[in-house]
Amino acid sequence: YSGRYFEILEKRKNLPVWVHKEEFLKTLKENQIVLLVGETGSGKTTQIPQFVLEAVLNENPSSGPKGKKWLVGCTQPRRVAAMSVSRRVAEEMDVEIGDEVGYTVRFEDCSSSKTVLKYLTDGMLLREAMADPLLGRYKVIVLDEAHERTLATDLLFGLLKQTLVSRPDLKLVVMSATLEADKFQNYFTGVPLIKVPGRLYPVEILYTREPQRDYLEAAINTVIQIHESEPPGDVLVFLTGEEEIEDTCRRIASKLGDQVNVMPLYSTLSPAMQQKIFDPTTDAVRKIVVSTNIAETSLTIDGIVYVVDPGFSKQKLYHPNTRVESLLVSPISQASADQRAGRAGRTQPGKCFRLYTEKSFKELEKQTYAEILRSNLANTVLTLKRLGVENLLHFDLIDPPAPDTLARALDDLYHLGALDDECNLTKTGEMMSEFPLDPQMAKMIIVSPQFNCSNEILSVSAMLSVPNCFIRPRGEGQKAADKAKSMFSHIDGDHLTLLNVFHAFLQHNQNQDWCYENFINYRAMKSAVNVREQLVRIMSRFQIKLCSPDFNSRDYYVNIRKALLAGYFMQVAHLERTGNYLTFRDKDDQVVHLHPSNCLEYKPEWVVYNEYVLTSRNFIRTVTYIQGEWLVDIAPDYYKPANFPNSEAKRVLQRHCKKRRLSE
Ligand code: ADP
Ligand code: MG
């Protein structure tokens, strides 16, 4: 072992969970399920899985099933956390990441046959369960951040509850930061609970006297004020998303210059940048971390003394009536606000600046609603069906979703051809569930050979699965960036534009300088290439044909647009005479606007869209021109007269239907 190993070991032994090591291991030995609740930063995520691993290795000196090594798995709701924490643990154990300690996140597997401790996103463990419902390689599974109540973690609860019965040798540790423990204790009746008290210093909470109109402005001003009038100590600012965070970092840096070290923290940040967050700072330079919710409980940054909390986060919301799921910047809950404040008191007494009034705080929800209550469940239903759950209503969930939402999901899957009349998984549905994508995208890929363009559709899907590839700086660079983007623009739509970018990237041999010159996000492009390769592998497993239409043929783009529609026919909008677009699903319609990022040079009568964005207005983002008659050709069951909306689109569709019948 290196000297650094012992240095880190000393630090580790000071973490609050170490006091409970013996008690924890003894409880785990005597029980199949253990609940562990501890303050954020007490060492749950980094230490407990190592304790567990030690015990597993001691008790199972010989190898596990089929000569392979037994695994300890620890789930994380966020990919950044899985990656960052596993790296840290590899360092603590003095091994290379990917060897004994590894991680698996969507589209990236950094584990090997040597791996005995694996951090993975909850979604990935669910996927593993699809392939092997008994999770045979695992000896112990640690469900971490249970308090977050993500959809995948909730499903894992239900699933593991069954698996533990069939596998008495499998153990489960549930770890959580806040005390929703009674909810988990009711769910797993009679399970022992270990509480790890944290070492929190007092945190003074300061509210604004008036509500703030612009929380970004207020956050920046507060940071400057802290820097100018408060004693040394690092600052943590909570914002909602990448663009906002990058922008705020630039603005703070331009105001405070070299006196501070401003760092962003969000999920698509490169691993090297993520690691920089943990570098200790000197007294002379104040560290200012501007982060998404990741820093609320998933990652603990030592040395934070001041927290700036505007009170918002991006949350998934779903309206079953309109079937719209979107990410919306929404007020956080009281529990979240308290967690955020707690980040200021880890190493010394701290201060939390809440950029809202005390009255507003009292009006916040006590807890954030579980994700399962806020989601479109089509993917969930597909997963459960694949896992062999026959009756969804009897599947034991902590918070069962509304029957409406469930019914909608079943209906969507039926129209996508994933379920048959008896609600059983079809062959198509089975294939769809193998793609780590939403059901519509999976469907689009599966049917793309019928339009002779699976190569193109794969590229578009890959581009839709990675962060936005266009970089658009504020101020000076913006014009140049827009000009660069226009070189890729396809007049018929954003999907085709993405395809152009992807092709250009390959033509330029994936060159980084080329990306830089063209305001293209190099990392996003590299991951698109990687995602595409993985999708190709799944395709070949099912022997789905890889094919391209002739690029010079008139129908090249027509075929691609038809294939898009074959997956996304439920996400279509029609231009009304009022100049507005109306979406419709069943008899429901919604006024929407094309997102300003679109590159269409005209307003087509019909568009297919990838995403619904709710801000002050309703936007549809990533849109491509389609023809109305394709709807009745491609999805005749869905677009039948009885389902037509009461808009102008109705008449247009009726005409298409009539024509179609005449020609038959
Ligand atoms: P919990 O899961 O209870 O919130 P963690 O196990 O995540 O606690 O964190 C324990 C300690 O390990 C914290 O002090 C944290 O700062 C430290 N730590 C975690 N990841 C890293 C890292 N990548 N580099 C340095 N320190 C880290
Ligand atoms: Mg943790």
Side-chain angles (χ1 to χ4, degrees):
Y1 291 121
S2 61
R4 174 136 176 85
Y5 172 83
F6 291 104
E7 193 186 307
I8 296 183
L9 186 61
E10 280 316 301
K11 258 204 198 141
R12 291 173 55 197
K13 286 186 171 165
N14 273 324
L15 289 167
V17 291
W18 273 74
V19 181
H20 300 266
K21 184 175 175 183
E22 298 313 318
E23 177 197 358
F24 168 76
L25 287 176
K26 184 165 178 282
T27 315
L28 185 64
K29 200 172 171 143
E30 291 162 0
N31 295 275
Q32 197 178 12
I33 308 174
V34 178
L35 288 178
L36 187 132
V37 174
E39 213 61 70
T40 307
S42 56
K44 295 185 300 298
T45 310
T46 52
Q47 308 308 308
I48 296 288
Q50 294 190 67
F51 297 167
V52 171
L53 179 64
E54 203 181 295
V56 166
L57 293 179
N58 279 339
E59 284 160 27
N60 305 278
S62 57
S63 52
K66 295 187 192 138
K68 289 187 176 161
K69 296 201 167 76
W70 282 114
L71 269 180
V72 172
C74 177
T75 64
Q76 295 294 313
R78 298 190 166 84
R79 54 185 279 135
V80 190
M83 292 158 78
S84 161
V85 166
S86 59
R87 284 215 161 77
R88 168 68 178 180
V89 171
E91 198 188 2
E92 290 185 358
M93 288 171 56
D94 209 8
V95 298
E96 287 294 317
I97 184 76
D99 285 354
E100 284 82 354
V101 182
Y103 66 85
T104 311
V105 298
R106 192 167 82 136
F107 298 128
E108 194 177 337
D109 182 12
C110 181
S111 67
S112 63
S113 56
K114 276 190 184 171
T115 305
V116 283
L117 171 54
K118 187 159 91 163
Y119 286 86
L120 70 178
T121 51
D122 44 11
M124 285 314 298
L125 187 62
L126 260 186
R127 296 211 82 81
E128 289 188 8
M130 280 188 197
D132 174 16
L134 289 181
L135 293 165
R137 291 256 343 254
Y138 291 92
K139 202 76 187 159
V140 180
I141 286 168
V142 182
L143 288 187
D144 197 4
E145 302 269 279
H147 63 272
E148 287 238 1
R149 300 293 309 284
T150 58
L151 191 53
T153 296
D154 268 11
L155 296 184
L156 283 169
F157 272 126
L159 186 72
L160 285 167
K161 208 171 178 180
Q162 297 177 356
T163 312
L164 290 172
V165 178
S166 352
R167 269 201 57 200
D169 65 315
L170 180 68
K171 298 206 167 192
L172 173 66
V173 179
V174 178
M175 307 204 290
S176 154
T178 46
L179 268 166
E180 240 193 329
D182 45 340
K183 218 165 187 175
F184 301 128
Q185 268 188 311
N186 286 338
Y187 183 72
F188 296 109
T189 358
V191 165
L193 168 69
I194 298 179
K195 282 190 195 171
V196 180
R199 271 186 236 116
L200 260 188
Y201 292 88
V203 174
E204 186 186 347
I205 310 268
L206 300 129
Y207 293 95
T208 55
R209 233 172 283 150
E210 301 291 327
Q212 300 294 306
R213 216 168 280 154
D214 181 343
Y215 70 82
L216 281 184
E217 203 68 41
I220 294 168
N221 291 338
T222 308
V223 170
I224 292 167
Q225 184 199 323
I226 291 171
H227 182 64
E228 284 169 354
S229 53
E230 297 285 346
D234 297 338
V235 185
L236 174 60
V237 186
F238 284 100
L239 292 181
T240 67
E242 173 176 344
E243 275 170 51
E244 193 179 86
I245 287 172
E246 286 291 355
D247 186 39
T248 303
C249 282
R250 270 193 296 271
R251 285 165 72 184
I252 295 174
S254 79
K255 291 225 164 97
L256 294 177
D258 298 339
Q259 315 154 37
V260 293
N261 194 354
V262 192
M263 299 176 187
L265 178 57
Y266 49 84
S267 62
T268 51
L269 208 61
S270 73
M273 286 289 283
Q274 287 166 25
Q275 194 49 41
K276 269 177 78 175
I277 302 292
F278 294 100
D279 292 348
T281 36
T282 58
D283 266 359
V285 180
R286 200 193 288 270
K287 176 156 84 181
I288 298 171
V289 180
V290 187
S291 172
T292 60
N293 246 1
I294 297 171
E296 192 175 294
T297 60
S298 304
L299 294 182
T300 296
I301 309 154
D302 292 326
I304 299 293
V305 180
Y306 308 100
V307 163
V308 179
D309 173 21
F312 293 99
S313 71
K314 231 178 232 171
Q315 290 166 33
K316 208 197 262 174
L317 282 179
Y318 180 64
H319 305 272
N321 285 335
T322 56
R323 303 195 180 190
V324 167
E325 181 186 86
S326 64
L327 277 175
L328 194 61
V329 172
S330 325
I332 58 172
S333 64
Q334 291 184 3
S336 273
D338 290 340
Q339 276 293 338
R340 289 179 172 192
R343 312 291 77 226
R346 291 252 312 131
T347 34
Q348 66 179 76
K351 284 186 182 171
C352 173
F353 298 82
R354 289 184 174 158
L355 305 181
Y356 40 93
T357 61
E358 188 161 9
K359 184 165 170 280
S360 321
F361 173 79
K362 289 190 176 133
E363 287 162 5
L364 294 174
E365 298 283 349
K366 290 253 168 336
Q367 301 275 348
T368 313
Y369 284 101
E371 189 184 3
I372 197 166
L373 304 175
R374 303 182 270 121
S375 302
N376 175 346
L377 295 180
N379 217 350
T380 307
V381 169
L382 197 57
T383 307
L384 289 176
K385 284 281 171 191
R386 187 59 212 273
L387 288 167
V389 176
E390 292 286 331
N391 191 334
L392 298 173
L393 292 171
H394 290 169
F395 188 66
D396 190 358
L397 290 161
I398 300 181
D399 283 315
D404 255 21
T405 312
L406 206 55
R408 290 279 179 167
L410 289 169
D411 196 41
D412 283 0
L413 288 173
Y414 171 75
H415 283 295
L416 285 168
L419 299 178
D420 62 18
D421 289 338
E422 268 90 53
C423 243
N424 294 318
L425 208 56
T426 61
K427 184 79 194 130
T428 305
E430 222 169 272
M431 284 196 265
M432 282 166 64
S433 71
E434 285 290 316
F435 286 90
L437 306 170
D438 74 61
Q440 312 192 59
M441 195 182 284
K443 172 72 188 245
M444 165 172 87
I445 291 177
I446 291 168
V447 299
S448 59
Q450 292 170 24
F451 301 90
N452 198 26
C453 60
S454 46
N455 272 315
E456 282 73 12
I457 287 299
L458 277 179
S459 306
V460 173
S461 303
M463 289 296 284
L464 291 172
S465 304
V466 301
N468 183 8
C469 69
F470 296 109
I471 296 170
R472 193 164 190 258
R474 269 181 166 237
E476 299 276 297
Q478 200 168 78
K479 267 209 180 112
D482 288 347
K483 186 154 171 258
K485 183 176 172 184
S486 71
M487 308 280 285
F488 302 106
S489 285
H490 190 291
I491 54 163
D492 284 338
D494 300 318
H495 297 87
L496 306 177
T497 302
L498 290 177
L499 184 64
N500 285 346
V501 176
F502 189 78
H503 284 158
F505 182 62
L506 295 188
Q507 256 159 27
H508 290 86
N509 300 318
Q510 312 192 17
N511 183 294
Q512 190 164 5
D513 294 334
W514 175 83
C515 286
Y516 185 79
E517 284 154 22
N518 289 282
F519 294 88
I520 297 292
N521 180 341
Y522 173 70
R523 269 177 51 79
M525 295 309 298
K526 283 302 262 190
S527 30
V529 171
N530 173 19
V531 167
R532 193 181 187 286
E533 277 163 14
Q534 302 200 34
L535 296 179
V536 166
R537 252 174 268 147
I538 302 175
M539 301 269 284
S540 66
R541 254 207 331 265
F542 290 111
Q543 290 162 355
I544 305 173
K545 216 168 76 194
L546 283 174
C547 46
S548 286
D550 176 6
F551 184 73
N552 296 314
S553 111
R554 251 184 46 210
D555 288 343
Y556 180 78
Y557 286 113
V558 171
N559 278 323
I560 299 171
R561 284 154 51 211
K562 282 186 176 171
L564 288 174
L565 191 63
Y568 286 91
F569 57 84
M570 294 181 220
Q571 297 188 178
V572 162
H574 179 255
L575 180 64
E576 305 282 298
R577 263 187 304 239
T578 55
N580 288 329
Y581 279 93
L582 273 189
T583 64
F584 53 85
R585 313 200 60 174
D586 287 349
K587 288 170 191 104
D588 250 313
D589 33 31
Q590 293 278 313
V591 175
V592 289
H593 306 275
L594 302 182
H595 193 269
S597 66
N598 87 82
C599 60
L600 291 162
E601 284 180 8
Y602 58 102
K603 276 180 147 186
E605 184 182 356
W606 296 92
V607 291
V608 60
Y609 63 91
N610 184 59
E611 196 188 356
Y612 200 102
V613 187
L614 279 172
T615 53
S616 46
R617 300 169 96 190
N618 298 344
F619 288 111
I620 46 179
R621 184 155 62 192
T622 315
V623 288
T624 286
Y625 156 54
I626 52 148
Q627 278 168 20
E629 57 260 44
W630 296 350
L631 295 174
V632 274
D633 289 340
I634 288 175
D637 277 353
Y638 192 75
Y639 288 98
K640 58 182 178 212
N643 292 341
F644 289 164
N646 288 320
S647 64
E648 290 164 34
K650 178 177 183 159
R651 262 169 289 136
V652 182
L653 284 173
Q654 273 169 340
R655 234 183 303 131
H656 289 318
C657 282
K658 218 186 226 162
K659 257 197 261 163
R660 196 163 179 271
R661 247 177 286 134
L662 285 178
S663 68
E664 267 167 10

